Amino acid sequence: MIKRPMRFALGALIATLLYASTGLAASKSEVDAQFRAWLASDLWPEAKSQGISKAVFDQAFSGVTLNFDLPDLVMPGEKPQTPKEQRQSEFGSPGKYFNDKTVNAVTSGGAARAGQYAKILKAVESKYGVPGPIVLAIWGRESGYGSVKIPNNAFAVLGTKAFMATRKDMFRKELVAALQIVEKGYIGVGSMKSSWAGALGQPQFMPTSYLEHAVDFDGDGKRDIWNSVPDTLGSIGHYLAQYGWQRGRDWGYEVNVPQAVSCSLEGPDQGKPFAAWAKLGIARVNGKPFPASETSREGFLLMPAGRHGPAFVVTRNFYVIKEYNMSDLYALFVGHVGDRIANGARGFSVGWGDVGGLYRSDIAGLQKALEKKGYDAGGADGFPGFKTRRSIGDWQTKQGLPATCFPDKDLVKAIR
């Protein structure tokens, strides 16, 4: 005889299939019921196979309901919505990422904590090779040095997304990892707080990253990235070290790039020895030579706004920072603020041009047009990454135009 909970689970799953086949959207209460059935009949068997106890599973989801306010959800019986044409500009000058308020807040907060946590930071650098100012810049950027409130129940967020987000499989994996964190005793269920995206604690690790990178740096037996500063700093350092941070190297240097040197030389796949960049006439903006230790080592040209902003020659460590957040601007923010924390460095020597004012759909169309012409624009995601920028530069050069390596309205019309 089928017990009542299983009958309820089967009934809810049948209802889900009916809604999907008829195209009728379920009410929120009906979807919540389907969620409870999914937990019991679908997620629990997998969690059990991954070593999760029933006690931990039940405790994690006790009182948890779906959070319908999260983005990128698809209600049962509905199809993912095609985004409407953007009414507001979704992409502007990269300089907006470096607004004075944010940069100054992270810099001043890091400078204050550099002294306060000097002993811990020294220990982190000794063990993992990552300089304290870089660790501080990430901590500040991710959670305002722990001041940003992270109020969400991680199991409600991850459960909702695993049940009905557009990327269910990814969030299901993260949800099981969150259960493993509790099962292993690293943190209690009540302390599992996350962002709306499911990122945990002060370093904002996703659960799978927590399991791989979080460390107990204060020796209390827990990897408490929610409340422990040593664990937070140590975990950030460990993360970067595991992604290949090269001890004793800087992240990069702001440079002047002569007009005769094409901005299309940008990218992590077009590295040259620092000596070769210098031979091309590329020099540091502060007038100092590149460090002698870098002469034969590989550097990479970085021009996030093409000819409309500052330029850099970066080391492999820049791309290690980028592993934390796959954005050139994020990695540049961390490196730049790290320099300001370390030595009081000022802002960039060159301003960011007033470029932008485009929809992401405009840039995606530009990328498609470039790829039809045989260029590798890195896909049509609506973001002008280095492959898009240098493809623009190559196209401009072939048309006899000055290479700017950055999209604008006239360029979008011309290439299309």
Side-chain angles (χ1 to χ4, degrees):
M1 181 177 180
I2 298 176
K3 295 182 180 179
R4 181 187 173 108
M6 182 58 72
R7 187 186 305 124
F8 172 79
L10 289 171
L13 287 173
I14 290 171
T16 301
L17 293 173
L18 287 174
Y19 282 117
S21 63
T22 60
L24 296 175
S27 68
K28 289 184 178 180
S29 61
E30 290 167 333
V31 176
D32 262 321
Q34 294 166 25
F35 173 62
R36 302 308 303 185
W38 173 80
L39 288 174
S41 63
D42 191 340
L43 186 67
W44 162 240
E46 180 181 352
K48 183 179 180 181
S49 73
Q50 296 296 317
I52 308 302
S53 67
K54 192 67 166 66
V56 164
F57 189 88
D58 289 345
Q59 187 183 9
F61 293 106
S62 176
V64 167
T65 58
L66 293 169
N67 183 344
F68 293 98
D69 294 327
L70 297 175
D72 302 321
L73 302 183
V74 181
M75 293 283 281
E78 294 183 353
K79 295 181 179 180
Q81 295 293 312
T82 301
K84 296 180 180 179
E85 184 177 353
Q86 295 110 329
R87 298 288 177 189
Q88 307 227 347
S89 176
E90 291 256 351
F91 187 83
S93 167
K96 293 180 179 180
Y97 200 90
F98 298 90
N99 69 82
D100 288 342
K101 183 177 180 181
T102 303
V103 170
N104 291 339
V106 180
T107 298
S108 61
R113 288 163 178 81
Q116 183 180 1
Y117 299 115
K119 186 176 180 180
I120 298 169
L121 291 165
K122 185 177 181 180
V124 169
E125 182 167 4
S126 176
K127 186 166 187 177
Y128 301 120
V130 184
I134 294 293
V135 174
L136 287 169
I138 290 176
W139 183 24
R141 180 71 195 187
E142 293 296 329
S143 66
Y145 301 103
S147 67
V148 174
K149 292 184 178 180
I150 305 173
N152 301 302
N153 180 319
F155 293 106
V157 170
L158 294 168
T160 298
K161 287 181 171 286
F163 181 62
M164 60 178 187
T166 54
R167 294 182 292 167
K168 291 181 184 179
D169 291 344
M170 185 198 85
F171 284 106
R172 184 184 182 108
K173 181 179 180 181
E174 296 296 345
L175 179 56
V176 172
L179 290 166
Q180 291 174 325
I181 290 170
V182 176
E183 184 69 42
K184 292 175 184 292
Y186 295 137
I187 200 76
V189 165
S191 299
M192 281 287 285
K193 302 297 182 182
S194 78
S195 70
W196 62 265
L200 307 175
Q202 296 185 45
Q204 287 291 275
F205 284 172
M206 293 301 289
T208 52
S209 287
Y210 175 98
L211 289 173
E212 187 173 355
H213 305 299
V215 295
D216 171 23
F217 210 72
D218 59 13
D220 68 351
K222 297 182 181 295
R223 305 181 194 180
D224 187 359
I225 60 173
W226 291 265
N227 307 297
S228 168
V229 170
D231 288 3
T232 295
L233 299 179
S235 295
I236 293 171
H238 185 229
Y239 184 104
L240 297 179
Q242 285 192 304
Y243 274 102
W245 185 273
Q246 296 177 339
R247 187 184 293 264
R249 294 191 83 184
D250 208 331
W251 65 271
Y253 311 89
E254 188 183 356
V255 298
N256 290 315
V257 179
Q259 288 295 324
V261 177
S262 175
C263 49
S264 63
L265 291 175
E266 183 185 6
D269 54 350
Q270 297 193 109
K272 300 178 185 292
F274 272 82
W277 290 117
K279 191 173 181 179
L280 289 174
I282 293 176
R284 294 176 67 180
V285 297
N286 62 10
K288 296 180 181 179
F290 293 119
S293 59
E294 296 287 3
T295 299
S296 60
R297 302 182 82 171
E298 199 171 32
F300 311 89
L301 185 62
L302 174 74
M303 300 180 73
R307 289 286 181 181
H308 301 291
F312 310 85
V313 175
V314 300
T315 71
R316 282 287 176 195
N317 284 344
F318 174 87
Y319 294 103
V320 172
I321 298 172
K322 192 175 174 180
E323 291 290 344
Y324 210 99
N325 182 318
M326 292 305 291
S327 161
D328 285 341
L329 297 182
Y330 177 90
L332 182 58
F333 181 98
V334 168
H336 177 62
V337 170
D339 286 349
R340 294 177 73 152
I341 293 171
N343 53 38
R346 294 190 171 188
F348 302 118
S349 67
V350 175
W352 299 90
D354 186 19
V355 290
L358 296 171
Y359 298 135
R360 277 187 57 193
S361 55
D362 290 329
I363 297 173
L366 171 66
Q367 290 166 325
K368 289 178 182 177
L370 284 167
E371 296 204 330
K372 283 183 179 179
K373 294 178 185 295
Y375 295 95
D376 178 8
D381 61 2
F383 293 103
F386 74 89
K387 288 186 176 181
T388 299
R389 297 194 294 265
R390 71 189 187 191
S391 293
I392 289 171
D394 282 338
W395 181 86
Q396 290 170 320
T397 299
K398 288 179 180 178
Q399 305 306 308
L401 300 170
T404 64
C405 297
F406 204 76
D408 57 42
K409 292 179 180 178
D410 291 338
L411 184 68
V412 167
K413 292 178 182 177
I415 294 182
R416 278 182 159 180

